Amino acid sequence: MEDAAPFMQQALALARQAVGLSEPNPRVGCVIVAADGQRVLGQGHTQRAGEAHAEIMALRDAASAGHAVAGATAYVTLEPCAHHGRTGPCCDALVRAGIARVVASLADPNPLVAGQGFSRLRAAGVEVLTGPGAVESRELNIGFFSRMVRGTPWLRMKIAASLDGKTALDNGASQWITSEAARADGHAWRARAGVVLTGIGTLLEDNPRLDVRLAPAPRQPDAVVVDSRLQTPPDAAIFTAGRQIVVYAAVDDSPRRSVLEARGAAVVCLPAADGKVDLAAMLRDLAQREVNEVHVEAGHQLNGSLIREGLVDELLVYLAPKLVGQGRQMAHFGPLADLGGAVSFEFLSSGRVGPDLRLLARIPGRDRF
């Protein structure tokens, strides 16, 4: 067969265009190549939930150009679906179109698919090959794989800090430690998440909107507040039109709950033994709400709790080239008895964003699920 790499890289580039658009569906790209192995007949990526998947978009693209796809090869970054969800099975559409071969990056972890798409293609006489682009496709859909396999979203904690690790002054002032370029980059990471999560302390101090304003966003992520005692003000800036607000509490205060529900929020009571919100149960609930990625922008207390409970998968840290001295730290937990108890990460990438440094770090082995 022809070298799959160029066409799969093209399909992966298409899949990246679905970031922030296809939630809660995976980000998938598809390129249909003629039997001669040279001509691209059609291409596309997954659209909004309930709309066409990548394979359907590619078939439509080929049809609009007047190309017949019988005998062609479809390069797709994830196994074509085999179930009736919001849309019909893509594997059946490929068979009906006369596709002769499917080259897929990897199998879909969704139990409703999980190899069934490949099986139905093979049963219809379609050749199926897997492997090209597997690492890139899985990384692009790390949250979807996490939700399907672990039953929890992928949790990424964003922190903006000074070079000496302070996120705010002792009086809480934090605007702005990092540059406008770093803030815009952080909004691009917000855009790829299903929800942006914060704590009641940050909400009361800063009244953040937790939306995407400084980067392109085909959809706004929903907002989540960890609020043990239901102190969220009904006029908080997070209550913007067109997105869901979920407030997790440890007490079921009916009057306060009613006020927030009247503002359109979903209030979920998940008390832990210490009287605070059960954070692990919260993540399981978010998975039930079809959230793939959680983007945390919170204060040192909630950051510390999430780290202490082992719920953080990845850190996105922006370091400004300045020293603050006394101030609030990135995360409050401990004290540790010895350095052997430190929470270890491995760096995935580093680079300049304006005058600041961006670090992406992950718990070793956390993505092996």
Side-chain angles (χ1 to χ4, degrees), residues 1 24 133 177 210:
M1 63 175 289
I177 287 179
L210 301 181

Side-chain angles (χ1 to χ4, degrees), residues 11-204:
L12 286 165
L14 289 163
R16 294 184 189 101
Q17 295 180 34
V19 171
L21 174 68
S22 65
E23 301 297 317
N25 293 329
R27 299 133 182 184
V28 182
C30 179
V31 175
I32 299 175
V33 178
D36 62 12
Q38 301 297 320
R39 294 176 296 125
V40 172
L41 304 178
Q43 59 184 354
H45 62 76
T46 306
Q47 302 298 299
R48 296 177 187 273
E51 298 179 8
H53 290 186
E55 299 91 330
I56 305 304
M57 293 299 294
L59 290 171
R60 289 177 182 174
D61 186 44
S64 68
H67 296 314
V69 299
T73 297
Y75 293 86
V76 59
T77 60
L78 194 67
E79 176 184 4
C81 66
H83 66 294
H84 286 274
R86 297 179 179 92
T87 60
C90 290
C91 62
D92 294 349
L94 294 174
V95 170
R96 288 194 301 270
I99 293 294
R101 180 171 52 187
V102 170
V103 180
S105 294
L106 71 176
D108 190 330
N110 187 340
L112 298 175
V113 185
Q116 295 182 60
F118 290 153
S119 295
R120 282 164 65 168
L121 288 168
R122 291 187 174 110
V126 178
E127 181 184 5
V128 176
L129 302 171
T130 61
V135 173
E136 297 96 324
S137 179
R138 193 175 191 278
E139 186 65 28
L140 185 62
N141 291 294
I142 192 72
F144 180 74
F145 273 76
S146 175
R147 177 166 67 91
M148 289 297 161
V149 179
R150 300 193 302 181
T152 58
W154 184 258
L155 192 146
R156 181 180 298 111
M157 178 178 288
K158 180 254 184 179
I159 298 173
S162 62
L163 199 57
D164 50 352
K166 300 301 188 293
T167 60
L169 302 181
D170 278 336
N171 62 10
S174 62
Q175 298 181 347
W176 298 101
I177 287 179
T178 53
S179 66
E180 184 176 352
R183 295 196 295 277
D185 192 72
H187 276 228
W189 284 88
R190 279 186 186 181
R192 68 171 283 158
V195 300
V196 180
L197 181 148
T198 196
I200 185 61
T202 298
L203 194 75
L204 294 176

Side-chain angles (χ1 to χ4, degrees), residues 10 20 70 98 116 169 208 230 270 357 360:
Q10 188 172 343
Q116 295 182 60
L169 302 181
L230 282 178
L270 293 175
L357 182 65
L360 189 64

Side-chain angles (χ1 to χ4, degrees), residues 229 249 304 324:
R229 298 192 297 276
V324 170

